[in-house]
Amino acid sequence: MNKMQKKVATVYSQVEISSGIFDLWLSEEEIANSAQPGQFIGVYCNQDSRLLPRPISICEIDEVQGRIRIVYRVVGGGTNEISHFNKDDKITILGPLGNGFTLNNRTSVLIAGGIGIPPMLELAKQLQGDKHIILGYRSETFLVEELSKYGKVYIATEDGSAGTKGNVVDILRTLSIKMDDIYACGPKPMLKAVKDYAIANKVDAQLSVEEKMACGIGACLGCVCKTKDNEGNIVRKRVCKDGPVFKAEEVEL
Amino acid sequence: MNLSVKIANVELKNPVTTASGTFGSGKEYNEFVDLNQLGGIITKGVSNIPWVGNETPRVAETYGGMMNAVGLQNPGIEKFIQNDLSFLQGFETKVIVNVCGKTIEDYCDVVRRLADQPVHMLEINISCPNVKEGGLAFGTDAAMIEKVTKEVKKYAKQPIIMKLSPNVTDIAEMAKAAEAGGADAISLINTLLGMKIDIHKRQFGVANKVGGISGPAIKPIAVRMVYQVAKAVKLPIIGLGGIMTGEDAIEFLMAGATAISVGTANFANPTATIDVLNGIEEFMNKYGIKDINEIIGCM
């Protein structure tokens, strides 16, 4: 496994690409060179009162320029502080963290909702084979054009303002393709529906799970999720260290 | 320069240890720091049988700190001996195992099992606010503290450190009870019981509703309690609560702690333990202190 490191990164660019959704490119060569799709970084705030790193998934990796990109939603004081960083500002990050997706390079469905969409970009870039990309939004869309470069994109919105009205799992159920793999990231109810679909249809699925974290490196046991071992016993695994990507049949949602 | 200190005849090469529950058994931090440089590693709490811990969310950030309600998830003593103790044997540091339980018998089971194991000291966790039985219930009643201490001392082959809860009216009374029960040392403070509410979602910050607050926000309370306990008992003290820097550590030593633990700082900075150690040395250099023992309890 690649080595995680704590590094001071430099902000290369930051823009708001949708209401409350920010797109931040960070220059940090070593982390960029070892990061894999589906991994995440811990982003530290500069304010002393905010101790813990914010876990944010890696959206894109530029090994040539030594940069990584995160696309995140402002949900509180910490992410709000991060959203105010400007070009050339210094920002401490920890990463790459966790285990990313296993790329099987067969006919794939990438399915994601809301702020679960960003990690699909680097995955779509690196993954070989036919790709069907299902994206779910409340209303405003983002990253659609970029993802369209790597596969056929389907969109669902809750209010019907773009694509079909409804959710991503409705689209998944109506896809008339022979799929080998599903890669998913999004809210828990979505992941649960994807898991049920994958098991019922005997499709291999990898789910990227989210949980509140403290350390991000496997020490605090804050971010556990329930998994089943081979004998069917419930085992609590760490989302940060053992995940965030789990096999559908393994993780209990 | 001498950094070594003694707790119950166990010599630590320096006063820096890790707070239980914030450092696992060191494996995760081995990628960031040289564990051989630490005075001691206090492990995550271990019970006689596996504990699954609480539901999530288990952690939430608070102003200048955090709240946790992990609930002492651990694999139980047998797996701990196999995996964690064997890992720790590879390092030149003192191994201090934190022991948790729901009944006095639970504590004694673990203490007995560890009697012939390569462990330098045992820390008895009578102060976890996140488990329904045991834990805090033992730590807030002086008579109970004395009783638990006496019982574990019957079976213990290693020195016993009683870890006190700050969720009491008179911390000195609790320390005296541990001393009367035959404790070899005292560590304090564990976390302060707190609550956080997400007003937008009308949800509690942690699933357990209440959790333990730690981090720099609670440091002045910890320093005060270390000072009060140092004046009340003769036992050596391991001080902890919000230590982020070497200067924070010095404050605890001056208040009367013989050693300190770095806790929540590990989550905010994975090299915090070594940074604190370097900070202590810098302070000693700055003031020409040749032996760390010169400043212990100087206030």
Side-chain angles (χ1 to χ4, degrees), chain A residues 3-4 6 44 49-54 211-213 215 217-222 224 226 236 238 241, chain B residues 28-29 31-32 44 52 55-59 61-66 70 73 216 244 264 267-270:
Chain A
K3 192 172 158 57
M4 49 189 178
K6 189 183 167 200
Y44 291 93
S49 63
R50 300 191 177 109
L51 295 183
L52 304 175
R54 271 56 186 167
E211 191 54 72
K212 285 270 193 296
M213 290 180 189
C215 69
I217 62 170
C220 74
L221 306 188
V224 296
K226 290 173 190 164
R236 277 158 173 87
R238 301 162 297 183
K241 185 87 177 175
Chain B
E28 290 77 18
Y29 289 93
E31 298 188 43
F32 294 97
K44 168 128 184 95
V52 297
E55 293 300 311
T56 59
R58 291 174 167 186
V59 290
E61 195 176 61
T62 57
Y63 196 93
M66 66 175 284
V70 169
Q73 178 185 329
M244 301 290 283
T264 300
F267 301 156
N269 168 18

Side-chain angles (χ1 to χ4, degrees), chain A residues 202-216:
Chain A
K202 297 191 170 62
V203 181
D204 289 336
Q206 298 174 47
L207 312 179
S208 181
V209 177
E210 193 179 40
E211 191 54 72
K212 285 270 193 296
M213 290 180 189
C215 69

Side-chain angles (χ1 to χ4, degrees), chain B residues 4-26:
Chain B
S4 71
V5 295
K6 255 189 188 170
I7 301 231
N9 280 324
V10 175
E11 188 171 311
L12 311 184
K13 68 176 85 172
N14 63 61
V16 179
T17 70
T18 60
S20 180
T22 66
F23 208 73
S25 290

